[in-house]
Amino acid sequence: MASLAERQMLLTPLDNDGVWFRYHTLLADYLKRRLEADRGIEVPELHGRAAVWYASHELWTEAVQHAIAAGASDRAISWINNCAMALIKRGDLFTLLEWQRQFPDELMRGQPEVRLAIAWGLALALRFDEALQLATEIENDITATQLPESDLLCECQAIRSVAIALKDDSERALPLAQDCVNRSSDPWTANVASNVVRFGHLQAGDLKQFYATPWMPYSPEEDRRNVFASVYRRCLQGVAELRQMRLAAAEGHYREGLRIAEQYVGPHSVAAALPTSLLARIFYEQGQLDEAEALVIDRASLINSGTMLDCVRSAYFVMARAAAARINLERAHTLLERAENHGISRDWGRLTAAATAERVRLYLNEGRVDEAAACVDRLERLTQQYPAPRLCAWSEIQWDHKLAHAHLLGQRERPEEAMSILRELQRETEAAHHRYFLIRVEMRLSALQLRLGKATEATSRFRRVLAACADGGLYQIILDEAPITSELVQMVQQSGSLGAHLASYVDRLASDSQRARQDRLAPTVRVQALHALSPRETDILTLIAGGLSNKEIARSLYIGPETVKSHLKSVFTKLGVEKRAQAVSRAQTLGLVTTQ
């Protein structure tokens, strides 16, 4: 072992004592086959011995895995009790839920703590209905025992509030969570409930209460154990700052959440995917499209399967807008259709509405008015399906519909009707303290005023928009609307007396708007990429997009695996990426390979 480790062959030492090693997959598979062939009857016994050893060292996750492999169900379940909540608190939801799948309900019935942990896992893994059902069953069992278990009942209520909040029903979740914050003495339960309370106040536009919501500070050791609650808190704080157009503050919160997740759980965890997806939106708004896209490409499956609605929406927004900016509208529409379907499957009306509204914007920019009108009709049905008589998460569905409807009316030469809708929307977003959405409304109002011949008012309004965006750190939001804002940018540029900071910002916008207009007429980026890639490199990229490994590609093209690697290295360099998934996404965005 020492000789192999020293020569870095087939295994890697994990400590300085020569005790822990990570085996290369080939070596591990070989040793397992030898063990099964030579001593097959003893394999369960060896798993049992390994389970006991891990348990004696309080390495519960490994102990449970080996106990399951040994067929020792009772022992495995008793040990799950020792690590179940620890897994939840650090965001390792799927390990616990996979264990749950392997045991019948009867065995779990006598383990209330394990069942509570599973209920937490189901809620945080976005399996809302299952979480709510299990919480109700646990409550009924507690009530049937006629024992004073108020803490457990409070925990069940917190789980219910989390499931309802992650389902995006902020109004119904808020009072449940507030009661838990007031009653619970457990830091995990109280802080998770406080995150739900923050979410509810944020969606209700009550920033004062958002910032006043209490939080039980964790010690450094507790921070390590309660990763998920801490990361969610940072994400919500960042979302609140972005709404107020304070990008630097939002970025700071997301980076701190990412630091906690990577330090205590790892970069390829659900906990890390939460802030990463939101950080991508910041990069995008700052005009860093490549960096934004790279953040979400490799984590797309984690973001889709385990993060909250705002994270999923942010990821799809970045990828679709990046594709549209590179003039690959087919790719953009495909991504938005996926986002719509994801929203429908999760019952996330706000995600479905955001994706549908984006498609309205794309269709109208392409002159496809009938398709845009069909999307507006779908948005109207969503407003009926998710009513919002008071400010809540679902209010954004109403806003998306109104903004898209006004855009459509403007294209149909009905600017006065569009203006009426936008002024109503202006009042609503101001009342909700949602300055980010308000900026989008103000841009549309400026464009309509210009169309109605009110050039002075339009220029004055748009100048205020540009000043707010320059101060807040937003850039791409203006550039993306170049079809309606480029003339306004030029008018503000020519108006003079801008000040050095704003003048520099406007000059950059004017230059980039001109470049974007030229790209729409002649998509040079795609042409350059097509010319840069050789036919062989394009073939290999297409096969990678089809899911083939290097060996499979080599067999398919009758070349050696090392030749495939050499071509791939060249593809990465030409596309400016570092990984296979990034190369595929970039190629799809540029239209070099077909979007599946």
Side-chain angles (χ1 to χ4, degrees), residues 170 174 178 194-213 243 391 432:
S170 61
L174 178 56
Q178 186 64 68
S194 78
N195 280 336
V196 176
V197 171
R198 281 187 190 81
F199 173 71
H201 288 317
L202 179 63
Q203 298 296 349
D206 193 341
L207 292 177
K208 182 178 179 180
Q209 287 300 319
F210 174 89
Y211 291 115
T213 300
R243 286 185 174 208
L391 267 176

Side-chain angles (χ1 to χ4, degrees), residues 387-409:
R390 291 170 296 280
L391 267 176
C392 62
W394 296 350
S395 297
E396 289 184 32
I397 301 172
Q398 322 286 327
W399 299 348
D400 280 329
H401 171 243
K402 289 176 181 178
L403 190 63
H405 190 199
H407 193 181
L408 176 64
L409 289 172

Side-chain angles (χ1 to χ4, degrees), residues 83-129:
C83 63
M85 276 310 299
L87 290 171
I88 295 302
K89 291 176 182 180
R90 68 195 298 268
D92 194 355
L93 314 174
F94 301 115
T95 295
L96 180 61
L97 296 180
E98 174 59 25
W99 290 348
Q100 176 221 12
R101 193 181 62 80
Q102 299 184 46
F103 298 110
D105 292 340
E106 309 83 69
L107 285 177
M108 290 291 189
R109 181 67 65 178
Q111 301 288 334
E113 291 84 0
V114 174
R115 294 174 75 212
L116 273 170
I118 290 170
W120 278 115
L122 290 169
L124 293 167
L126 312 177
R127 291 162 61 176
F128 317 117
D129 294 336

Side-chain angles (χ1 to χ4, degrees), residues 427-469:
R427 291 190 294 271
E428 291 175 4
T429 50
E430 283 178 340
H433 306 290
H434 204 315
R435 293 187 65 211
Y436 179 83
F437 205 106
L438 177 60
I439 282 293
R440 298 170 62 194
V441 178
E442 292 286 354
M443 282 194 291
R444 294 286 169 190
L445 281 169
S446 301
L448 278 176
Q449 284 180 323
L450 185 62
R451 177 175 292 189
L452 291 169
K454 301 176 181 180
T456 302
E457 294 95 323
T459 304
S460 177
R461 181 187 294 275
F462 196 67
R463 180 172 176 157
R464 293 194 297 272
V465 167
L466 294 180
C469 288

Side-chain angles (χ1 to χ4, degrees), residues 340 344 348-364 371-387 394-408 437 440:
E340 278 190 73
I344 292 168
W348 279 349
R350 193 156 55 100
L351 175 61
T352 304
T356 307
E358 273 292 300
R359 298 191 78 180
V360 171
R361 192 182 73 86
L362 287 180
Y363 280 138
L364 290 177
E371 287 111 318
C375 287
V376 171
D377 289 343
R378 292 207 300 276
L379 283 168
E380 184 175 10
R381 290 194 291 272
L382 283 171
T383 65
Q384 297 165 1
Q385 186 179 348
Y386 299 92
W394 296 350
S395 297
E396 289 184 32
I397 301 172
Q398 322 286 327
W399 299 348
D400 280 329
H401 171 243
K402 289 176 181 178
L403 190 63
H405 190 199
H407 193 181
L408 176 64
F437 205 106
R440 298 170 62 194

Side-chain angles (χ1 to χ4, degrees), residues 60 64 75-86 99 111-115:
W60 300 114
V64 169
R75 176 176 284 177
I77 291 175
S78 68
W79 286 341
I80 288 174
N81 191 48
N82 293 319
C83 63
M85 276 310 299
W99 290 348
Q111 301 288 334
E113 291 84 0
V114 174
R115 294 174 75 212

